[in-house]
Amino acid sequence: MSDWAYTVSVRSLCEFTAKQGSLDRRFTPSATALEGQAVQLAVIARRSEGYETELPLEGRFGALRVRGRADGYEADVKRLEEIKTIRGPVALIPENRRALHWAQLQTYGALIAADRGLAELELALVYVDADTQHETVLRETATAAALQAAFEARCRAFEAWAAQEAAHRAARDAALTGLPFPLGELRPGQRLLAEAVYRAATHGRCLLAQAPTGIGKTLGTLYPLLRAMPRQGLDKIAYLTCKGTGRFMAQDALRTLRDATPGRQLRVLTLVAKAQACEHPDKACHGDACPLALDFYDRLPAARAEAVQTGWLDAPAQRRIALRHGICPYYLGQELLRWADVVVGDVHHAFDPHGQLYGLAQSQGWKLALLVDEAHNLVDRARDMYSAALSLARVREALAAAPKALQPALRRLAGELAGLGRDQVEDYQPLPQLPEPLAEALQRVNTALGEHVQNHPLEVGALLDFYFEVLALQRLLDRLDSHSLCDLQRSAGRVALPDAPLNLSLLEPDENGDPVDTGAVRDVLLSVRNIVPGHFLKERFEGLGSVTLFSATLGPPDYPRDLLGLPQDCAWIDVPAPFPPEHLSVRVAPLSTRYEHRERSLDALVDLLAAQYEQHPGNYLAFFSSFDYLDKAAARLALRHPGLPQWSQSRSMGEAARRAFLERFVADGRGIGFAVLGGAFAEGVDLPGTRLIGAFIATLGLPPVSPLQDQIRERLDAMFGADHGYADLVPGMQKVVQAAGRVLRSVDDRGWVWLLDQRYRRPEVRALLPAWWRLQPG
């Protein structure tokens, strides 16, 4: 009798034992999840009346429990089917992927034969083209004895690893059960946060946690989830951030917690972007092109074994282990996702359409708990994930790089875009739906590029990147609804006309209205802009075990609930600030920073900055709505108060320049740093003590007036009501509070915040400011 047990899905068992040879990640056009579901339903409709679908199957081998769901079974002819949705010829499916499909089907065959007492059955691997619905069926007849022998061989190949994993899980859970808080006692606000996170994990709910700077949010969220891990049977915890700086803090906290765990049982994996991890970016991810893809799956077992014994798997560790075994660091990290206890990475791993973390959690049945740091940024990040754009200039670049066979389709697309841009009256034009000629031209380019990529699988570069852009745009257009805007925007830039017969209607007119052949037309941008990402994310939140979104600026709670599609029972906690109100002097200046008033109020604004500096010398940050406004204010301050030290954020600041900007904020230093609200220095910057004693905020953070902004406001007002401020006031005030949060970083800090606009006195604005702030007149 074994003293351990391990449950594994059919898919996981086969992926572990059946993958051999080289990595083959060349791009092949694939179907979306929705298309896959539609294909499944279409195939089922063509089968006989007694066709069984989604059969739950289970079998045991020693201490192993293997389970999964078979796609379909026709009992009258004893045929078991595995249905795969594809695009293009079956011959282009990589051999190692097809071998995996057969391994899955054969494993399901062994399970159903044992369950129903079958002596033999027919196995059918059904490939269905998503575009044509054509079925290609590969068949074989197998005896129950042969299938059982293959099943047992796979189980034996996995058994030792399963025993190791079961032992690790038991040791991990035992260590976490009594995990002490590494810093002794939790702080008061930190305890409230930790208790709320623990309750959310216990009940499998979503939690919105607004928690101020200074209470220790990173440890206050990770610690309770680790304690909940054994009690709630959590398989994994993922700590996801919207910006890269948050990942470093998570790693520091996890190292502290891991060191406090007996035996350091915790496996911590940092997911690294492919662009950062790839050793050969000029080569395709294929054994014939990249030396680190060659024999990848044959070398993987040794690398995987070393990695799980190492336990602390940050980017340097993954690279070191991968190169020692001659395999790709990026794809090693992707494989290790299955065996890690805690994962640190970017939010796209869970929320992007192609996010592997969410996809694996669903396919493997993991009980996964998510922590999302800096969650006030998730609305914008998710909008970007479900938005796409294509410019005429980009089509022109692709046309220049394209082989002759692709050029007609690209020329037609360029012509349709140029024609639409030429005909529209205003520079910005919303499109309720895509005009039919443009839709057809876009579809032709997608089809032509898809065939080209299939026929040139090892090709990398600009043309493949362009195909990804066009494909993303097409998929979003196919799902266009009230959650997104489609529009065409004409810019001042010009694009050379394609080398084709001249279409006079595309040319700019002269003063007499006659077309002038300048060889160029104005550039246009076709966009699908997501406004309400909750349409896409709702299913994800519902499918995860527990999700905690936390930030210092999440409120009002209806804003993330509505825009992110959070469940109706999503909990909310607003953790009190640890700072005594008298530690922060918040003043409202009787100024107007509206665009039309800026020039007139500029002298008074810089005089206020100088007066505050003179009364309380030290380091300050001054935030403005744009670089143009920042530059004017900095120049005026230098003119009127030339002795006051100042330095400014610049456009396109590199890492070294950003570091130099922050290094000016030394303890007991003096001067004013000028920055843009919502930029690199408005959040995620820690300048404790006397490194920063105050902030001036010369804006409400409202987006600039534009036809696009009008469309966004109209759409959100129609969906949620005009009094919510979802399009402008709420996100603007989140930026303001984030910037002001740079001033007090610990309970001992003291400082000043100047709100440089009289609109801060309005009730609807004050309602969005922290309750503990005591506003005083300037």
Side-chain angles (χ1 to χ4, degrees):
M1 186 78 168
S2 175
D3 60 354
W4 62 274
Y6 193 89
T7 299
V8 63
S9 68
V10 169
R11 177 172 173 174
S12 291
L13 175 68
C14 294
E15 285 178 337
F16 191 93
T17 58
K19 283 187 173 181
Q20 297 176 336
S22 297
L23 191 68
D24 188 352
R25 302 293 295 187
R26 54 188 164 179
F27 178 79
T28 52
S30 59
T32 64
L34 287 176
E35 289 171 332
Q37 294 167 13
V39 164
Q40 290 267 7
L41 292 174
V43 170
I44 291 168
R46 294 194 287 266
R47 298 301 186 255
S48 62
E49 188 175 341
Y51 189 75
E52 301 174 57
T53 63
E54 292 292 309
L55 284 76
L57 296 171
E58 183 176 310
R60 291 186 178 273
F61 179 83
L64 279 181
R65 179 184 175 216
V66 182
R67 63 182 183 181
R69 288 182 177 271
D71 287 336
Y73 181 64
E74 290 190 87
D76 54 344
V77 293
K78 297 180 183 178
R79 180 187 299 125
L80 183 69
E81 294 188 333
E82 179 76 4
I83 303 168
K84 301 294 184 183
T85 308
I86 62 170
R87 271 199 164 87
V90 172
L92 294 178
I93 299 173
E95 187 58 40
N96 58 2
R97 198 173 305 170
R98 202 181 311 177
L100 175 61
H101 296 162
W102 273 116
Q104 290 175 317
L105 179 55
Q106 290 161 356
T107 302
Y108 284 125
L111 296 179
I112 197 171
D115 181 65
R116 304 199 178 188
L118 304 175
E120 75 173 21
L121 73 160
E122 183 182 358
L123 303 179
L125 187 53
V126 184
Y127 290 109
V128 189
D129 191 286
D131 296 320
T132 65
Q133 293 288 312
H134 175 72
E135 294 183 24
T136 301
V137 185
L138 309 179
R139 294 185 173 90
E140 70 174 29
T141 299
T143 65
L147 292 171
Q148 183 64 23
F151 171 71
E152 292 179 2
R154 288 192 186 95
C155 289
R156 277 191 292 271
F158 184 67
E159 194 172 27
W161 183 268
Q164 169 193 283
E165 290 306 291
H168 167 73
R169 176 79 174 242
R172 180 201 75 182
D173 287 354
L176 293 178
T177 299
L179 178 67
F181 188 67
L183 303 183
E185 290 293 321
L186 285 94
R187 305 171 198 169
Q190 192 177 45
R191 178 173 291 279
L192 286 175
L193 175 61
E195 290 170 350
V197 172
Y198 188 88
R199 285 194 301 270
T202 300
H203 298 293
R205 294 177 65 187
C206 285
L207 170 67
L208 287 167
Q210 183 163 269
T213 298
I215 68 165
K217 292 191 289 289
T218 309
L219 276 174
T221 52
L222 278 167
Y223 175 71
L225 268 192
L226 289 173
R227 288 296 300 266
M229 209 168 190
R231 291 179 174 87
Q232 304 307 321
L234 297 178
D235 296 303
K236 295 185 193 304
I237 294 169
Y239 190 105
L240 306 179
T241 66
C242 294
K243 295 193 174 183
T245 52
R247 292 196 283 281
F248 299 121
M249 290 186 286
Q251 287 174 322
D252 289 342
L254 282 165
R255 191 181 288 277
T256 299
L257 288 162
R258 185 171 182 265
D259 289 344
T261 307
R264 294 185 176 180
Q265 296 294 336
L266 213 56
R267 295 177 187 162
V268 179
L269 172 71
T270 300
L271 290 172
V272 185
K274 187 175 181 180
Q276 297 170 356
C278 182
E279 297 286 319
H280 300 288
D282 59 325
K283 296 178 173 60
C285 302
H286 188 281
D288 292 341
C290 178
L292 298 181
L294 183 65
D295 298 330
F296 177 89
Y297 291 109
D298 299 332
R299 300 172 183 177
L300 175 62
R304 181 171 54 207
E306 181 181 345
V308 298
Q309 291 302 314
T310 301
W312 184 259
L313 297 165
D314 57 6
Q318 292 174 58
R319 183 175 188 271
R320 182 175 63 252
I321 294 168
L323 296 184
R324 182 181 297 131
H325 293 275
I327 63 174
C328 172
Y330 173 74
Y331 284 106
L332 173 62
Q334 298 294 294
E335 290 287 335
L336 294 176
L337 181 55
R338 303 165 188 273
W339 316 111
D341 301 313
V342 182
V343 177
V344 179
D346 184 80
V347 290
H348 83 269
H349 295 294
F351 299 113
D352 187 83
H354 308 292
Q356 190 185 25
L357 178 62
Y358 175 78
L360 274 177
Q362 295 304 109
S363 65
Q364 305 297 328
W366 292 338
K367 194 170 183 182
L368 171 68
L370 289 190
L371 294 172
V372 181
D373 194 2
E374 304 158 332
H376 61 281
N377 289 306
L378 186 56
V379 170
D380 284 342
R381 284 294 312 276
R383 282 171 170 167
D384 288 344
M385 294 174 199
Y386 294 92
S387 298
L390 182 68
S391 69
L392 176 58
R394 194 77 180 89
V395 178
R396 190 70 182 88
E397 290 171 6
L399 184 55
K404 189 173 182 179
L406 294 177
Q407 291 178 7
L410 287 167
R411 283 200 186 96
R412 179 178 173 186
L413 178 58
E416 292 296 339
L417 278 172
L420 274 178
R422 172 68 179 83
D423 292 342
Q424 68 185 52
V425 177
E426 303 293 338
D427 285 344
Y428 176 82
Q429 179 66 51
L431 300 174
Q433 61 183 22
L434 210 60
E436 192 63 30
L438 178 57
E440 290 180 1
L442 187 64
Q443 185 60 58
R444 284 176 180 267
V445 166
N446 258 310
T447 302
L449 282 169
E451 292 174 354
H452 176 80
V453 169
Q454 285 180 331
N455 294 326
H456 302 82
L458 300 185
E459 185 176 290
V460 295
L463 205 56
L464 184 61
D465 292 341
F466 178 75
Y467 178 45
F468 291 155
E469 295 171 28
V470 174
L471 191 60
L473 180 64
Q474 183 66 65
R475 287 177 172 173
L476 290 174
L477 284 166
D478 290 343
R479 301 181 69 180
L480 187 64
D481 207 332
S482 59
H483 51 73
S484 301
L485 292 171
C486 180
D487 57 47
L488 199 69
Q489 194 156 18
R490 191 168 53 194
S491 72
R494 291 184 172 272
V495 181
L497 286 167
D499 296 328
L502 189 62
N503 182 350
L504 295 180
S505 68
L506 302 183
L507 301 180
E508 297 290 333
D510 61 15
E511 61 272 13
N512 299 317
D514 297 321
V516 178
D517 184 6
T518 63
V521 295
R522 291 176 66 182
D523 194 14
V524 291
L525 182 72
L526 173 66
S527 302
V528 174
R529 307 175 196 266
N530 178 247
I531 308 301
V532 184
H535 174 84
F536 299 100
L537 302 187
K538 185 176 186 293
E539 183 180 348
R540 301 202 172 206
F541 284 115
E542 291 173 348
L544 292 165
S546 171
V547 183
T548 294
L549 294 87
F550 61 100
S551 167
T553 53
L554 269 184
D558 283 348
Y559 179 71
R561 281 195 187 115
D562 288 343
L563 293 192
L564 293 175
L566 297 172
Q568 289 299 310
D569 66 347
C570 179
W572 163 264
I573 183 175
D574 190 355
V575 180
F579 316 112
E582 59 270 17
H583 280 202
L584 186 67
S585 175
V586 185
R587 298 180 178 272
V588 179
L591 300 171
S592 173
T593 60
R594 293 178 185 271
Y595 184 80
E596 61 269 23
H597 301 153
R598 286 177 187 173
E599 186 62 37
R600 193 163 63 242
S601 64
L602 205 52
D603 285 349
L605 187 151
V606 299
D607 288 348
L608 188 152
L609 268 61
Q612 171 67 26
Y613 178 83
E614 184 177 346
Q615 292 172 21
H616 303 283
N619 284 331
Y620 292 83
L621 271 167
F623 293 100
F624 296 84
S625 57
S626 67
F627 280 106
D628 180 66
Y629 193 14
L630 179 156
D631 292 340
K632 289 178 179 177
R636 189 68 59 90
L637 180 67
L639 180 66
R640 294 176 66 85
H641 304 279
L644 202 163
Q646 61 162 288
W647 54 98
S648 295
Q649 178 182 358
S650 61
R651 295 170 176 82
S652 305
M653 230 175 181
E655 181 62 34
R658 287 197 296 269
R659 190 164 52 247
F661 181 92
L662 291 175
E663 286 172 354
R664 295 286 298 267
F665 293 88
V666 297
D668 299 317
R670 299 192 176 186
I672 300 178
F674 284 72
V676 172
L677 190 72
F681 306 113
E683 62 177 277
V685 171
D686 192 22
L687 299 170
T690 58
R691 293 186 65 191
L692 183 72
I693 67 167
F696 307 96
I697 303 174
T699 172
L700 270 70
L702 304 178
V705 176
S706 70
L708 171 59
Q709 184 59 28
D710 290 342
Q711 288 290 315
I712 293 172
R713 183 183 298 104
E714 288 176 15
R715 184 65 54 89
L716 290 174
D717 287 354
M719 296 178 74
F720 303 111
D723 58 341
H724 285 71
Y726 285 178
D728 38 41
L729 188 58
V730 171
M733 296 311 295
Q734 286 185 344
K735 294 176 183 176
V736 167
V737 178
Q738 276 289 328
R742 301 313 95 205
V743 178
L744 298 190
R745 307 302 292 175
S746 74
V747 292
D748 298 322
D749 288 352
R750 292 175 179 267
W752 291 263
V753 169
W754 276 92
L755 304 174
L756 305 180
D757 196 295
Q758 57 199 9
R759 287 174 289 175
Y760 280 103
R761 294 188 178 130
R762 292 180 177 177
E764 68 272 21
V765 176
R766 294 186 66 156
L768 296 173
L769 297 175
W772 64 277
W773 281 13
R774 295 177 181 172
L775 270 63
Q776 306 168 48

